[in-house]
């Protein structure tokens, strides 16, 4: 297949590009490199040293003999170029990772909120409009988030995208209806993914676009079979308070002996998936494309759930690192349960990689190797969800910790 990987320079996009190229597909990365610019804006860098995307592609060609093409293109701003590229290249499949994906970054200020909405909603809509206009019959696979469902538990498992409900009509008869599961985003970033869902629903029903939406949990780990093949194929590994995600952050914190930064009581339960399973799920989704006229196919792309304080306890036990319970900069439930259905990928043959100490050790070793690149003052999460929280929870640069005032 000829596959366009939008956002292929990122944490999930790069290993996916390598995985698909390794399987023999013709891979084209389209990326505006905005994520690298955001690192510059924030004054941070990936824990792992990343080469330029051109250099990464050159090394991959040397290592594998396979070509990955790179195209510098902004999906949200360069509609005409996008349309032209699709019309010329006619990809069989398009994998869409190209969005601003950090919840804390999306909540930093009104500018960051606006940027996240403009970028994510326009990128997705430009893509959908261009697919219709060019008439290409590509299967679109989008990376969405578990966060569209919200995390509050009603004691029932979260289904894969759709909910069967019953309503009473004007004659008093009970009628069955299938609806998108009610969305309850917890940040402006998560809100853009909820808006994406509606865009997909419309274009699938109106224009017959073939769309798969993957509601992914928090991705942990860094290496995949391909990124481990050469030092310069190494994946991005974010540790900072905006882009680092919870388990990867705890592992890096353990490596530099920084007390593990648990928000509140650490009672939040989240869904997780290893990066190697992410790339495998995308392969599986590509092999199971919907037909024209089908509803949007939705998979819950996660393999297990964990409570944040349990993860901290696990990492603390294996590393001896202390745990710090900090005031929570987010507006979120102090405690939640999460039960999630993931039958779709299991039925397609996914054999989940579960969180176990051996794999965690491997990540701590990577973190220790590059620990000299960590800037400790960038470790705490300081992006507050509301002005009120910002006033109550302040960042003390001396202590490089969050603390409460008042
Ligand atoms: P990332 O930030 O590392 O990568 C995103 C890539 O998209 C970057 O290379 C960026 O430069 C590019 N991009 C952003 N806007 C663009 C635009 N307008 N035009 C062209 N390129 C653009 O993020 P990631 O962790 O690889 O996540 C990829 C996708 O998976 C995101 O959509 C995210 O919402 C989703 N996801 C990620 C996680 C996770 O834990 N990392 C979990 C669930 C879902
Ligand atoms: N948390 C801590 N300490 C930290 C960092 C986070 O306690 O140092 C807590 C947060 O308060 C939150 C939970 O851990 O309750 C998860 O935070 P996170 O930053 O790991 O994940 P999140 O903001 O939800 O976002 C990440 C990705 C996003 C993806 C989402 C999937 O950045 O792109 O969509 O995971 S999900 O969480 O399932 O919605």
């Amino acid at each position: 297949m000829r596959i366009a990987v939008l956002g292929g320079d990122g944490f999930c996009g790069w290993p996916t590009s390598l995985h698909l190229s390794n399987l023999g597909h013709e891979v084209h990365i389209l990326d505006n490199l905005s994520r690298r610019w955001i690192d510059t804006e924030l004054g941070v860098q990936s824990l792992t040293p990343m080469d330029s995307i051109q250099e990464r592609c050159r090394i991959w060609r040397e290592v594998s003999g396979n070509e990955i093409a790179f195209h510098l293109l902004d999906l949200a701003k360069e509609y005409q170029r996008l349309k032209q590229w699709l019309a010329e290249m006619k990809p069989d499949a398009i994998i869409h990772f190209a969005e601003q994906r950090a919840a804390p970054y999306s909540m930093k200020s009104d500018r960051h909120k606006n940027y996240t909405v403009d970028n994510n909603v326009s990128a997705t809509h430009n893509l959908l409009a261009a697919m219709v206009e060019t008439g290409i019959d590509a299967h679109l696979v989008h990376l969405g988030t578990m966060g569209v469902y919200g995390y509050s538990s009603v004691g029932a498992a979260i289904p894969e995208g759709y909910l069967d409900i019953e309503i009473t009509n004007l004659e008093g008869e009970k009628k069955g209806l299938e609806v998108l599961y009610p969305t309850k985003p917890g940040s402006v970033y998560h809100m853009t993914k909820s808006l994406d869902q509606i865009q997909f629903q419309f274009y699938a029903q109106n224009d017959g676009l073939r769309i798969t939406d993957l509601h992914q949990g928090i991705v942990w780990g860094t290496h995949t079979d391909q990124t481990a093949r050469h030092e310069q194929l190494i994946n991005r590994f974010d540790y900072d308070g905006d882009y680092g995600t919870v388990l990867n952050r705890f592992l890096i914190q353990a490596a530099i002996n920084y007390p593990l930064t648990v928000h509140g009581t650490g009672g939040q339960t989240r869904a997780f998936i290893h990066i190697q399973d992410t790339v495998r799920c995308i392969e599986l989704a590509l092999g199971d494309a919907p037909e024209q006229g089908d509803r949007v196919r939705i998979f819950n792309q996660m393999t297990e759930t964990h409570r944040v304080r349990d993860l901290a306890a696990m990492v603390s036990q294996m590393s001896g690192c202390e745990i710090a319970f900090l005031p929570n900069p987010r507006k979120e439930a102090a405690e939640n349960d999460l039960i999630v259905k993931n039958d779709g990928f299991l039925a397609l043959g996914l054999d989940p990689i579960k969180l176990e100490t051996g794999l965690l050790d491997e990540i701590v070793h990577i973190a220790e190797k590059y620990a000299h690149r960590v800037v400790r003052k960038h470790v705490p999460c300081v992006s507050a969800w509301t002005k009120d929280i910002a006033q109550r929870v302040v960042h003390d640069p001396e202590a490089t910790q969050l603390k409460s005032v008042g």
Side-chain angles (χ1 to χ4, degrees), residues 195-247:
L195 297 170
D196 281 349
Q197 278 204 117
I198 309 289
Q199 303 195 59
F200 296 140
Q201 189 182 43
F202 174 76
Y203 279 97
Q205 111 205 341
N206 194 65
D207 298 283
L209 292 190
R210 299 184 297 123
I211 304 174
T212 299
D213 199 4
L214 304 175
H215 290 184
Q216 184 169 241
I218 301 173
V219 182
W220 64 281
T222 182
H223 275 325
T224 60
D225 292 344
Q226 283 76 42
T227 64
R229 279 172 73 176
H230 192 286
E231 178 78 22
Q232 285 170 278
L233 296 176
I234 201 158
N235 199 11
R236 169 180 274 285
F237 195 170
D238 296 308
Y239 72 87
D240 62 280
D242 286 317
Y243 276 88
T245 52
V246 64
L247 178 55

Side-chain angles (χ1 to χ4, degrees), residues 73-90:
L73 193 145
D74 189 324
L75 239 70
K77 293 198 177 132
E78 296 181 281
Y79 177 71
Q80 293 303 336
R81 281 191 63 218
L82 171 66
K83 198 164 82 171
Q84 197 180 343
W85 191 87
L86 291 177
E88 275 168 23
M89 300 305 292
K90 297 189 176 45

Side-chain angles (χ1 to χ4, degrees), residues 105-396:
Y105 183 84
S106 78
M107 302 301 287
K108 281 181 102 63
S109 73
D110 52 352
R111 179 176 75 77
H112 294 90
K113 290 176 187 176
N114 288 342
Y115 167 73
T116 302
V117 171
D118 290 348
N119 186 64
N120 294 3
V121 177
S122 297
T124 299
H125 191 264
N126 281 348
L127 176 62
L128 293 165
M131 286 175 72
V132 172
E133 206 49 36
T134 53
I136 59 166
D137 179 33
H139 172 204
L140 170 60
V141 178
H142 171 253
L143 271 290
T145 174
M146 283 298 302
V148 295
Y149 302 119
Y151 311 103
S152 60
S153 157
V154 289
I158 295 181
E160 304 208 67
Y162 297 95
L163 187 65
D164 290 321
I165 60 164
E166 205 175 59
I167 52 170
T168 308
N169 70 11
L170 294 176
E171 282 74 45
E173 298 157 340
K174 302 260 187 225
K175 292 283 179 190
L177 198 64
E178 186 191 67
V179 293
L180 276 174
Y181 193 89
T183 165
K184 200 176 177 210
S187 72
V188 166
Y189 153 71
H190 287 99
M191 185 185 78
T192 64
K193 295 287 184 176
S194 300
L195 297 170
D196 281 349
Q197 278 204 117
I198 309 289
Q199 303 195 59
F200 296 140
Q201 189 182 43
F202 174 76
Y203 279 97
Q205 111 205 341
N206 194 65
D207 298 283
L209 292 190
R210 299 184 297 123
I211 304 174
T212 299
D213 199 4
L214 304 175
H215 290 184
Q216 184 169 241
I218 301 173
V219 182
W220 64 281
T222 182
H223 275 325
T224 60
D225 292 344
Q226 283 76 42
T227 64
R229 279 172 73 176
H230 192 286
E231 178 78 22
Q232 285 170 278
L233 296 176
I234 201 158
N235 199 11
R236 169 180 274 285
F237 195 170
D238 296 308
Y239 72 87
D240 62 280
D242 286 317
Y243 276 88
T245 52
V246 64
L247 178 55
N248 276 0
R249 277 169 55 75
F250 287 169
L251 293 168
I252 292 169
Q253 290 164 6
I256 62 166
N257 199 22
Y258 190 108
L260 308 178
T261 55
V262 172
H263 294 162
T265 59
Q268 307 84 22
T269 307
R270 292 289 185 274
F272 290 85
I273 183 167
H274 188 266
I275 185 76
Q276 182 74 57
D277 279 345
T278 290
V279 304
R280 171 86 175 121
C281 283
I282 288 161
E283 175 195 344
L284 293 172
L286 284 173
D288 192 44
E291 299 289 326
Q292 220 184 37
D294 284 357
R295 67 175 191 182
V296 176
R297 183 159 299 173
I298 300 178
F299 290 94
N300 289 339
Q301 186 161 311
M302 51 72 68
T303 53
E304 55 194 321
T305 58
H306 292 282
R307 206 173 281 276
V308 168
R309 64 170 168 263
D310 296 341
L311 292 177
M314 189 190 301
V315 175
S316 171
Q317 203 171 18
M318 68 181 256
S319 64
C321 193
E322 278 173 40
I323 299 176
F325 288 92
L326 304 171
N328 195 344
R330 304 188 183 202
K331 190 167 181 174
E332 59 185 356
E335 305 271 330
N336 74 280
D337 293 320
L338 191 61
I339 312 160
V340 182
K341 285 202 170 159
N342 65 344
D343 306 341
F345 277 129
L346 297 179
L348 291 179
L350 178 69
D351 181 15
I353 296 171
K354 291 290 174 74
L355 212 153
E356 48 169 275
T357 327
L359 274 172
L360 295 183
D361 270 345
E362 181 190 292
I363 302 166
V364 173
H365 288 321
I366 297 169
E368 280 167 350
K369 180 171 176 189
Y370 296 109
H372 60 281
R373 291 169 57 87
V374 175
V375 179
R376 292 174 81 90
K377 74 172 184 191
H378 292 308
V379 172
C381 298
V382 294
S383 174
W385 256 231
T386 65
K387 288 181 180 163
D388 178 49
I389 295 174
Q391 271 178 358
R392 280 189 287 115
V393 177
V394 296
H395 179 218
D396 175 355

